[in-house]
Amino acid sequence: MNILSIETSCDETAVSIVSAVGQFPDATYEVLGDALHSQIDVHAEYGGVFPALAKREHARTLIPMLTKALADAELLEEEVSELTQKQVEVLHELLLRDPGMADALIEFFQTYEKPEVDLIAVTSGPGLEPALWVGVSFAKALAEIWNMHVIPVNHMEGHVLASVFDVEEDNKLAQITFPAISLLISGGHTELLLMKGWGQYEKIGQTRDDAVGEAFDKVARMIGLPYPGGPAISKLAGEGRRLNLPAFTELPRPMLHSKDLDFSFSGLKTAVRYAVADKELSEVEKQSLARDFEDAVVEVLTKKTAAAFEEFGTHTLIIGGGVSASQFIRQAFNKYFLTHFPDIEIYFPNPGLSTDNAVMIALAGHARSANASNPAAARFIKADGNKSIDGK
Ligand code: KG4
Ligand code: ZN
């Protein structure tokens, strides 16, 4: 089957076309088309993602992304056709909040024929709710005119599946041994999940305040780096490490010895704020501070994850989410687990699939395709900014 997937949960507008041959989890996938527009430039001056702007940008760029993804997949065929008055009305109704998008979409439908796509997968949460709604409404509009089924996807399940998707080797999901533990570290989430099987998640730990990526972004802002700060902090920290700079400051390891598997990063961020105060840091001081910060984060992440392994005795670690793009974090986990749990298999996403993308949404859509809504039922799909991966 060909899956058309849509991702608009945060600041990436992405559409992909993925073919799946076989049943989940044994299918072979092929990415036929993958279009992604990052809104980083739009949000950079605010130092973070601005929901109203994100929504507007998604509405503006979804159709160009759809067109590009279909063209890359060689599924875009011109065919002039008219929509019925009823169809036009339904589109305006579905896209009431984005009248500009309704008009552009009507033009799209009148220019191109229905592509050879079998299922629409769309992120319905978690994420920024106004941003999610743009993608969900768009999916409903496509389903309505093309008479297709829609599967709402949990963004975090997308991250999990991206981490076990072996793009380099065989385009299949890795054959992992369950139970597994998944550590998801992104801009909005930091959570530890116990997975007894595919699609089965139990949340065993989570952040009580800031997410890891959010802490990276806020610390970056404090030292004058643009959004998103994760990659920039990581780069500075790498320099600090390479030059073996002395510590800029002592930073705490929040909740390292708490009896549970929860995290907290706001205290760490505040400690950085105090250390920086109103000082104008030199480049070397920034490198040193970034290294101190990254070391503190990594120590908490690795040791807390290790505690989960001690508690649950599992064999597999799946690390995903935007922060897992960090090479340093990957090395640190590999090193720590090789020493303490040498029998554990660790999975990271292919670098291109670490941060938000639509391919991971197609994988999650395929995993859940049996639950897809028919075109009439699809109208009732809702975006849910707080959607939890364990359904609670
Ligand atoms: O998964 P993602 O793309 O979006 C969300 O679902 O939140 O994650 C984005 C987060 C941002 O906070 C960004 O700063 C962080 O991932 N990030 C990194 C790196 N690359 C992206 N953090 C640390 N090191 C990196 N190399
Ligand atoms: Zn994400």
Side-chain angles (χ1 to χ4, degrees), residues 210 215 218-219 222 265-274 293:
D210 291 357
K218 287 177 176 168
V219 165
M222 287 176 212
F265 292 100
S266 93
L268 178 57
K269 170 195 71 186
T270 307
V272 172
R273 177 166 291 133
Y274 281 127
F293 171 74

Side-chain angles (χ1 to χ4, degrees), residues 7 9-10 12 126 155-156 159 185-189 321-322 354-357 360:
E7 157 63 37
S9 70
C10 190
E12 251 89 42
H155 180 85
M156 303 316 286
H159 277 303
I185 39 181
S186 71
H189 291 80
S354 304
T355 48
D356 290 351
N357 63 85
M360 70 186 201

